[in-house]
Amino acid sequence: MKRKILFGLLLCIFLAPCASAKENYFTNENGVSLSEKEYDFFSKLYWEGYQKSLTQEEYLQIKDMDLFDQEIEKKTYTNYPITRGSSVTSNLRTLSITKVCNSSCLNTLVATWIGSPFVKSYDVMGVRLNGPSLLTINNLRIEGNNFSQSYNNPKKFNNGFGYSFQLPNTSNIQVSVSFTTTQSGTIYGSYQHAMSNTSSVVSNQYTIGVGGYGNVFQFIGTARNVYDNAPGVDISL
């Protein structure tokens, strides 16, 4: 019996890589190494290229939740230019919501600008929960040409959360946030773009509820006349 075990170990070491060995397909500047399967996972969860700025903390969160072998579901809405009279006030962008679940769910909300927005002021992104409980909220991240910034100050409610952030003066802007929840219920996601220059204070004038902008943001005061009332996205858990 001992001879058989020893023989198996020798085969693993000398003849072929062990089954548990991880193929190093990509390593980023943060020292995070990904197999090809893991690399493709992040492309689906976020976008192709997100892997460059992936942190070890983000990678370990997904690994600890045992999500790499789970199915990813994504829904995307394309927000076409909104016109007011003869002028275009909002560029083309997409908004995607994604889920991947095991015992709990990791969810992402990603807004992708196609071109550069005309107004670069304080936008808001957030979610409303109907059923599931919010477990954790990760940083909101903005990526663009030669630009990367994170925000770690979400505005929390008992039924969701929102982030206010300033758009950078660059192109190819991607804005993303991930968060974990329990299963069962529906998540609503919204990205609202400022149609005129505004302040951080005004961008935080909202609560979260049914019937709000994108079915998430219920703006109050000055903020009601600032944001573009873009449709949101939703996904069932």
Coordinates of all heavy atoms in Angstrom, one line a residue, residues 74-79 93-98 108-111 125-128 179 186-192 213-216 230-236:
K74 N -25.7 38.1 -16.2 CA -25.5 39.6 -16.4 C -26.7 40.1 -17.3 O -27.1 39.5 -18.2 CB -24.2 39.9 -17.2 CG -24.0 41.3 -17.6 CD -22.7 41.6 -18.2 CE -21.6 41.6 -17.2 NZ -20.3 42.1 -17.8
K75 N -27.1 41.3 -16.9 CA -28.2 42.0 -17.7 C -27.6 43.4 -17.9 O -27.1 44.1 -17.0 CB -29.5 42.1 -16.9 CG -30.1 40.7 -16.7 CD -31.3 40.8 -15.8 CE -32.5 41.5 -16.4 NZ -33.7 41.5 -15.6
T76 N -27.8 43.9 -19.2 CA -27.2 45.2 -19.6 C -28.3 46.0 -20.2 O -29.1 45.6 -21.0 CB -26.1 45.0 -20.6 OG1 -25.1 44.2 -20.0 CG2 -25.5 46.3 -21.0
Y77 N -28.3 47.3 -19.9 CA -29.2 48.3 -20.5 C -28.3 49.4 -21.2 O -27.3 49.9 -20.6 CB -30.1 49.0 -19.5 CG -30.9 50.1 -20.1 CD1 -32.0 49.9 -20.8 CD2 -30.5 51.5 -19.9 CE1 -32.7 51.0 -21.4 CE2 -31.2 52.5 -20.4 CZ -32.3 52.3 -21.2 OH -33.0 53.3 -21.7
T78 N -28.6 49.7 -22.4 CA -27.9 50.8 -23.1 C -28.7 52.1 -23.1 O -29.9 52.1 -23.5 CB -27.7 50.4 -24.6 OG1 -26.9 49.2 -24.6 CG2 -26.9 51.5 -25.3
N79 N -28.2 53.1 -22.5 CA -28.8 54.4 -22.3 C -28.5 55.3 -23.5 O -27.4 55.8 -23.6 CB -28.4 55.0 -21.0 CG -29.3 56.3 -20.7 OD1 -30.5 56.2 -20.8 ND2 -28.6 57.3 -20.3
R93 N -24.2 55.5 -23.0 CA -23.5 54.7 -22.0 C -24.3 53.4 -21.8 O -25.5 53.3 -22.1 CB -23.3 55.4 -20.7 CG -24.6 55.8 -20.0 CD -24.3 56.6 -18.7 NE -25.4 56.8 -17.9 CZ -26.2 57.9 -18.0 NH1 -26.0 58.8 -18.9 NH2 -27.3 58.0 -17.2
T94 N -23.6 52.4 -21.2 CA -24.3 51.2 -20.8 C -24.3 51.0 -19.3 O -23.4 51.5 -18.7 CB -23.7 49.9 -21.5 OG1 -22.4 49.8 -21.0 CG2 -23.7 50.1 -23.0
L95 N -25.3 50.3 -18.8 CA -25.3 49.9 -17.4 C -25.6 48.5 -17.3 O -26.6 48.0 -17.8 CB -26.4 50.8 -16.7 CG -26.5 50.5 -15.2 CD1 -25.2 50.9 -14.4 CD2 -27.7 51.3 -14.6
S96 N -24.7 47.7 -16.5 CA -24.9 46.3 -16.4 C -25.0 45.9 -14.9 O -24.3 46.5 -14.1 CB -23.7 45.6 -17.0 OG -23.6 45.8 -18.4
I97 N -25.8 44.9 -14.6 CA -25.8 44.4 -13.3 C -25.6 42.9 -13.4 O -26.1 42.2 -14.3 CB -27.2 44.6 -12.6 CG1 -27.1 44.3 -11.1 CG2 -28.4 44.0 -13.3 CD1 -28.3 44.8 -10.3
T98 N -24.8 42.3 -12.5 CA -24.3 41.0 -12.6 C -24.4 40.3 -11.3 O -24.2 40.9 -10.2 CB -22.8 40.9 -13.1 OG1 -22.7 41.7 -14.3 CG2 -22.4 39.5 -13.3
T108 N -22.3 42.9 -9.1 CA -21.6 44.1 -9.5 C -22.5 45.0 -10.4 O -23.5 44.5 -11.0 CB -20.4 43.7 -10.5 OG1 -20.9 43.0 -11.6 CG2 -19.5 42.8 -9.7
L109 N -22.3 46.3 -10.3 CA -22.9 47.3 -11.1 C -21.9 48.0 -11.9 O -20.9 48.6 -11.2 CB -23.7 48.2 -10.2 CG -24.8 49.1 -10.9 CD1 -25.9 48.3 -11.5 CD2 -25.4 50.1 -9.8
V110 N -21.9 48.0 -13.2 CA -20.9 48.6 -14.0 C -21.5 49.6 -15.1 O -22.4 49.2 -15.8 CB -20.1 47.5 -14.8 CG1 -19.0 48.2 -15.7 CG2 -19.4 46.6 -13.8
A111 N -21.0 50.8 -15.1 CA -21.4 51.8 -16.1 C -20.3 52.0 -17.0 O -19.1 52.3 -16.5 CB -21.9 53.1 -15.4
M125 N -24.3 56.5 -8.3 CA -24.5 55.1 -8.6 C -24.9 54.4 -7.4 O -24.4 54.7 -6.3 CB -23.3 54.5 -9.2 CG -23.4 53.0 -9.5 SD -21.9 52.2 -10.1 CE -22.1 52.5 -11.8
G126 N -25.9 53.5 -7.5 CA -26.3 52.8 -6.3 C -27.4 51.7 -6.6 O -27.7 51.5 -7.7
V127 N -27.8 51.1 -5.5 CA -28.7 49.9 -5.6 C -29.8 50.0 -4.6 O -29.7 50.6 -3.5 CB -28.0 48.6 -5.5 CG1 -26.9 48.5 -6.5 CG2 -27.4 48.4 -4.1
R128 N -30.9 49.4 -4.9 CA -32.0 49.2 -4.0 C -32.3 47.7 -3.8 O -32.3 47.0 -4.8 CB -33.3 49.9 -4.4 CG -34.5 49.7 -3.5 CD -35.7 50.6 -3.9 NE -36.2 50.2 -5.2 CZ -37.1 49.3 -5.4 NH1 -37.6 48.6 -4.4 NH2 -37.6 49.0 -6.6
F179 N -20.8 44.3 -4.4 CA -21.3 44.2 -3.0 C -21.9 42.8 -2.9 O -22.2 42.1 -3.9 CB -22.4 45.2 -2.8 CG -23.5 45.2 -3.9 CD1 -24.7 44.5 -3.7 CD2 -23.3 45.8 -5.1 CE1 -25.7 44.5 -4.6 CE2 -24.3 45.8 -6.1 CZ -25.5 45.2 -5.8
T186 N -34.8 40.7 -5.3 CA -34.5 41.4 -6.5 C -33.6 42.6 -6.1 O -33.8 43.2 -5.0 CB -35.7 42.0 -7.2 OG1 -36.6 40.9 -7.5 CG2 -35.3 42.6 -8.5
I187 N -32.6 42.9 -6.9 CA -31.7 44.0 -6.8 C -31.9 45.0 -7.9 O -32.0 44.6 -9.1 CB -30.2 43.6 -6.8 CG1 -29.9 42.7 -5.6 CG2 -29.3 44.8 -6.7 CD1 -28.5 42.1 -5.6
Y188 N -32.1 46.3 -7.6 CA -32.3 47.3 -8.6 C -31.0 48.2 -8.6 O -30.6 48.6 -7.6 CB -33.5 48.1 -8.3 CG -34.8 47.3 -8.3 CD1 -35.2 46.7 -7.2 CD2 -35.5 47.2 -9.5 CE1 -36.4 45.9 -7.2 CE2 -36.7 46.5 -9.5 CZ -37.1 45.8 -8.4 OH -38.3 45.1 -8.4
G189 N -30.5 48.4 -9.8 CA -29.3 49.3 -9.9 C -29.5 50.5 -10.8 O -30.3 50.5 -11.7
S190 N -28.9 51.6 -10.4 CA -29.1 52.9 -11.1 C -27.8 53.7 -11.2 O -27.0 53.7 -10.3 CB -30.2 53.7 -10.4 OG -30.4 55.0 -11.0
Y191 N -27.6 54.3 -12.4 CA -26.6 55.3 -12.6 C -27.2 56.6 -13.1 O -27.9 56.6 -14.1 CB -25.5 54.8 -13.6 CG -24.4 55.8 -13.8 CD1 -23.1 55.5 -13.3 CD2 -24.6 56.9 -14.6 CE1 -22.1 56.4 -13.5 CE2 -23.5 57.8 -14.8 CZ -22.3 57.5 -14.3 OH -21.2 58.4 -14.5
Q192 N -27.0 57.7 -12.3 CA -27.7 58.9 -12.7 C -26.6 60.0 -13.0 O -25.7 60.2 -12.2 CB -28.6 59.4 -11.6 CG -29.8 58.5 -11.3 CD -30.7 58.3 -12.6 OE1 -30.9 59.3 -13.3 NE2 -31.1 57.1 -12.8
Y213 N -35.5 57.6 -9.4 CA -34.8 57.6 -10.7 C -34.1 56.2 -10.8 O -33.3 55.8 -10.0 CB -33.8 58.7 -10.8 CG -34.3 60.1 -10.9 CD1 -35.6 60.4 -10.6 CD2 -33.5 61.1 -11.4 CE1 -36.1 61.7 -10.8 CE2 -34.0 62.4 -11.5 CZ -35.3 62.7 -11.2 OH -35.8 64.0 -11.4
G214 N -34.4 55.6 -12.0 CA -33.8 54.2 -12.2 C -34.4 53.2 -11.2 O -33.8 52.2 -10.9
N215 N -35.5 53.6 -10.6 CA -36.2 52.8 -9.5 C -35.3 52.6 -8.3 O -35.5 51.7 -7.5 CB -36.6 51.4 -10.1 CG -37.8 50.9 -9.5 OD1 -38.5 51.5 -8.7 ND2 -38.2 49.6 -9.8
V216 N -34.4 53.6 -8.1 CA -33.5 53.6 -6.9 C -33.5 54.9 -6.2 O -33.9 55.0 -5.0 CB -32.1 53.2 -7.3 CG1 -31.1 53.3 -6.1 CG2 -32.0 51.8 -7.9
A230 N -32.2 58.5 -15.9 CA -31.9 57.3 -16.8 C -32.6 56.1 -16.2 O -32.6 55.9 -15.0 CB -30.4 57.1 -16.9
P231 N -33.1 55.2 -17.0 CA -33.6 53.9 -16.6 C -32.6 53.1 -15.9 O -31.4 53.2 -16.1 CB -34.1 53.2 -17.9 CG -34.3 54.3 -18.8 CD -33.2 55.3 -18.5
G232 N -33.0 52.2 -15.0 CA -32.1 51.4 -14.2 C -32.1 49.9 -14.7 O -32.7 49.6 -15.8
V233 N -31.4 49.1 -14.0 CA -31.4 47.6 -14.3 C -31.8 46.9 -13.1 O -31.7 47.4 -12.0 CB -30.0 47.2 -14.8 CG1 -29.6 47.7 -16.2 CG2 -28.9 47.6 -13.8
D234 N -32.2 45.6 -13.2 CA -32.5 44.8 -12.1 C -32.2 43.3 -12.4 O -32.1 42.9 -13.5 CB -34.0 44.9 -11.7 CG -34.9 44.5 -12.9 OD1 -35.2 43.2 -12.9 OD2 -35.4 45.3 -13.7
I235 N -32.0 42.6 -11.3 CA -31.7 41.2 -11.4 C -32.3 40.4 -10.3 O -32.3 40.9 -9.1 CB -30.2 40.9 -11.6 CG1 -29.9 39.6 -12.1 CG2 -29.5 41.2 -10.2 CD1 -28.4 39.4 -12.6
S236 N -32.8 39.2 -10.5 CA -33.4 38.4 -9.4 C -32.3 37.4 -8.9 O -31.5 36.9 -9.6 CB -34.6 37.6 -10.0 OG -35.6 38.4 -10.4

